[in-house]
Amino acid sequence: MLFRNRFLLLLALAALLAFVSLSLQFFHLIPVSAAKNGVSSKSRKRILPDPATEPPVTDPVYEALLYCNIPSVAERSMEGHAPHHFKLVSVHVFIRHGDRYPLYVIPKTKRPEIDCTLVANRKPYHPKLEAFVSHMSKGSGASFESPLNSLPLYPNHPLCEMGELTQTGVVQHLQNGQLLRDIYLKKHKLLPTDWSADQLYLETTGKSRTLQSGLALLYGFLPDFDWKKIYFRHQPSALFCSGSCYCPVRNQYLEKEQRRQYLLRLKNSQLEKTYGEMAKIVDVPTKQLRAANPIDSMLCHFCHNVSFPCTRNGCVDMEHFKAIKTHQIEDEKERQEKKLYLGYSLLGAHPILNQTISRMQRATEGRKEELFALYSAHDVTLSPVLSALGLSEARFPRFAARLIFELWQDREKPSEHSVRILYNGVDVTFHTSFCQDHHKRSPKPMCPLENLVRFVKRDMFVALGGSSTNYYDACHREGF
């Protein structure tokens, strides 16, 4: 009897403790969960600074974690949110490729040992991973624009090749694709079940990592798609400028921006000290180490939790990593202030934005072609677009970043169409330069399509100064 009473007492005490714990969690007095370095899963997804949730001082390790974008639980997103009387007409998706192996090697050090085969017993994992590999193995006869048809459809090297997409990168975009499927197909029925090839527009650069990232997202979006309906176009330029790539003034802006970067680096004594220390460790001249862009390889070590390289002279360490990453953050801040990059971005992003609004305008006329457009690209593609749109506070594109343009029709006023802009799932429509004041004058949670069209057709040139009223004249104006 005594034993029974003690058991009941312990059971009651355990129930009381569980109730108290849940209550504290509910009132946010203790954390529910925590990620590496104290970064919560909620704060990891932010793309605009939030002083209420982020470190009071810029933390290079925190920023690097955001950049890695390690897949975890499915994130909540704002894609597809609209009043019930709005109909989704078309979606235009710009992605950066997923996590990749470095493009550069730190001189005289061993390459990080990262396995680029896709296997189920390695994290990160996605439930569709094995099915993705199986489906890609059936796509050898796929009809892609040359030279894409010579690229592998998925990564498959036990030791990654330079710049190769990793399993993490594949999982990142399988997750992106599934998220967009749940929103745009299951909820909004953007495409019919018997969708046709002409309802998709797919374009990628000629790198295996961008093609494979695009295929991973597409497989998450349209599982087991019919290969006969899939056609990827090849884009030779990372700016996706197609036949409008020659732009001398854009190149002049870029040269001045690169000069600004160089002068800022010269002023950073801590950065030069860090490069000097690292050069001694690997026994090469400082100039040679700097030219090898060591942060690229160090980010791979960091994102994959692999120790930084060592030699008999010592080890590259976290302090070196933090010093270089801190300089990158400072460089981004000055870049926003000096506006040289903005000039480059306005001209660099114009061709692809012009293509996008043309596609949107055709959709407003009731045409059913190219309702879902996907551009699989690079950081140097997304970054100018973000800057041109006026999203100066947006973070530098992380691995598997996504920038989405949604076109909506008001069913109550069918002639009216609106757009939403989302970056990594966050609605940034009213942070753009062409729509930042619209919500003050209208209760609609969207921006009129006319605002975006006017911005691309006129205001982008006004922002550059001078008298240019079209892309050709802006690219060739004299006296810049």
Side-chain angles (χ1 to χ4, degrees):
M1 186 69 176
L2 180 62
F3 176 78
R4 182 172 178 274
N5 290 339
R6 286 180 176 176
F7 175 75
L8 291 173
L9 179 63
L10 288 172
L11 194 63
L13 182 60
L16 178 63
L17 289 173
F19 174 77
V20 171
S21 175
L22 287 171
S23 299
L24 289 172
Q25 288 183 16
F26 180 79
F27 289 109
H28 308 290
L29 298 178
I30 63 174
V32 178
S33 63
K36 187 176 179 181
N37 284 23
V39 183
S40 71
S41 60
K42 180 178 180 181
S43 63
R44 281 175 64 88
K45 75 183 284 291
R46 295 193 179 278
I47 54 95
L48 297 174
D50 186 339
T53 61
E54 300 191 4
V57 178
T58 302
D59 180 355
V61 174
Y62 174 85
E63 295 297 326
L65 279 170
L66 293 175
Y67 179 83
C68 295
N69 188 24
I70 304 301
S72 55
V73 296
E75 64 178 348
R76 295 180 180 177
S77 70
M78 291 298 292
E79 280 102 344
H81 284 229
H84 69 278
H85 57 90
F86 276 80
K87 175 187 176 183
L88 184 64
V89 177
S90 67
V91 173
H92 312 261
V93 182
F94 303 77
I95 59 170
R96 185 191 177 188
H97 59 75
D99 177 80
R100 59 157 172 78
Y101 197 72
L103 299 171
Y104 305 89
V105 175
I106 298 176
K108 296 187 178 182
T109 63
K110 188 178 180 181
R111 288 172 53 190
E113 294 185 1
I114 308 296
D115 187 345
C116 274
T117 57
L118 304 180
V119 294
N121 61 356
R122 185 195 312 132
K123 292 183 178 180
Y125 173 73
H126 190 279
K128 286 188 169 64
L129 184 64
E130 294 99 324
F132 169 74
V133 174
S134 175
H135 198 65
M136 292 304 106
S137 66
K138 301 171 186 174
S140 56
S143 176
F144 295 161
E145 186 175 2
S146 179
L148 301 178
N149 46 19
S150 64
L151 297 177
L153 302 183
Y154 62 97
N156 194 30
H157 291 95
L159 176 60
C160 297
E161 296 187 342
M162 305 305 289
E164 185 172 11
L165 194 69
T166 66
Q167 177 162 320
T168 300
V170 170
V171 170
Q172 286 167 334
H173 278 304
L174 284 173
Q175 190 166 298
N176 273 344
Q178 184 173 337
L179 183 148
L180 300 186
R181 173 180 175 79
D182 290 343
I183 295 168
Y184 295 138
L185 296 187
K186 292 184 178 180
K187 181 179 179 181
H188 289 289
K189 315 296 183 187
L190 176 66
L191 300 175
T193 54
D194 59 343
W195 56 273
S196 59
D198 61 3
Q199 290 176 313
L200 303 181
Y201 182 87
L202 310 171
E203 190 170 354
T204 178
T205 61
K207 302 295 184 182
S208 63
R209 61 184 177 272
T210 51
L211 175 61
Q212 293 165 6
S213 292
L215 286 168
L217 186 146
L218 194 63
Y219 189 79
F221 187 63
L222 295 167
D224 299 319
F225 54 73
D226 183 348
W227 281 104
K228 295 177 183 177
K229 297 181 179 181
I230 303 302
Y231 182 75
F232 267 95
R233 294 162 176 82
H234 172 239
Q235 175 52 245
S237 168
L239 288 175
F240 283 69
C241 46
S242 300
S244 304
C245 292
Y246 182 64
C247 185
V249 172
R250 182 197 67 218
N251 295 338
Q252 291 175 40
Y253 272 117
L254 182 59
E255 290 170 4
K256 292 185 178 183
E257 164 62 15
Q258 290 171 338
R259 175 69 177 172
R260 179 204 62 76
Q261 293 175 7
Y262 171 73
L263 293 175
L264 181 66
R265 195 192 75 215
L266 289 183
K267 287 190 257 181
N268 192 332
S269 58
Q270 182 59 41
L271 180 68
E272 289 304 300
K273 178 185 175 184
T274 298
Y275 280 140
E277 290 175 357
M278 291 174 63
K280 288 180 181 178
I281 290 171
V282 299
D283 194 24
V284 298
T286 304
K287 186 177 181 179
Q288 181 182 345
L289 175 83
R290 191 188 302 115
N293 192 23
I295 191 62
D296 185 57
S297 182
M298 294 172 81
L299 276 166
C300 178
H301 285 82
F302 179 84
C303 294
H304 288 266
N305 199 26
V306 175
S307 298
F308 293 128
C310 292
T311 71
R312 62 184 180 181
N313 299 325
C315 293
V316 176
D317 60 30
M318 182 59 77
E319 293 307 310
H320 297 135
F321 176 77
K322 288 163 68 175
I324 301 175
K325 188 62 185 171
T326 297
H327 176 76
Q328 281 190 329
I329 296 168
E330 292 171 352
D331 179 76
E332 286 181 33
K333 290 179 180 177
E334 187 183 86
R335 185 181 73 183
Q336 295 167 9
E337 295 168 0
K338 298 293 184 180
K339 305 295 185 183
L340 292 170
Y341 188 76
L342 175 60
Y344 166 78
S345 298
L346 288 166
L347 292 171
H350 186 270
I352 195 170
L353 289 175
N354 196 43
Q355 292 173 37
T356 300
I357 63 167
S358 295
R359 193 170 287 118
M360 287 182 171
Q361 288 175 317
R362 291 195 294 271
T364 64
E365 297 168 359
R367 296 175 62 173
K368 299 298 182 182
E369 299 88 13
E370 301 177 352
L371 301 182
F372 181 82
L374 172 64
Y375 296 91
S376 190
H378 305 265
D379 53 0
V380 292
T381 313
L382 267 66
S383 185
V385 176
L386 291 167
S387 179
L389 293 174
L391 299 171
S392 58
E393 293 185 358
R395 283 190 166 91
F396 188 79
R398 67 191 189 186
F399 285 129
R402 64 184 190 273
L403 174 65
I404 296 180
F405 291 68
E406 297 175 347
L407 176 65
W408 296 83
Q409 180 185 42
D410 189 340
R411 286 192 179 97
E412 296 177 352
K413 298 178 181 178
S415 63
E416 293 188 4
H417 291 80
S418 302
V419 295
R420 294 178 74 233
I421 317 292
L422 301 106
Y423 184 45
N424 295 333
V426 178
D427 187 344
V428 295
T429 307
F430 297 121
H431 291 275
T432 61
S433 57
F434 60 86
C435 214
Q436 58 186 358
D437 296 324
H438 179 73
H439 66 288
K440 298 175 183 177
R441 304 189 301 270
S442 171
K444 292 184 179 180
M446 300 184 191
C447 187
L449 174 61
E450 294 77 21
N451 284 35
L452 176 58
V453 172
R454 183 169 57 250
F455 172 73
V456 175
K457 296 294 187 182
R458 188 194 70 184
D459 296 347
M460 290 181 79
F461 308 121
V462 173
L464 287 165
S467 57
S468 302
T469 57
N470 61 69
Y471 178 71
Y472 180 87
D473 290 346
C475 284
H476 294 83
R477 77 180 194 268
E478 297 180 0
F480 169 69

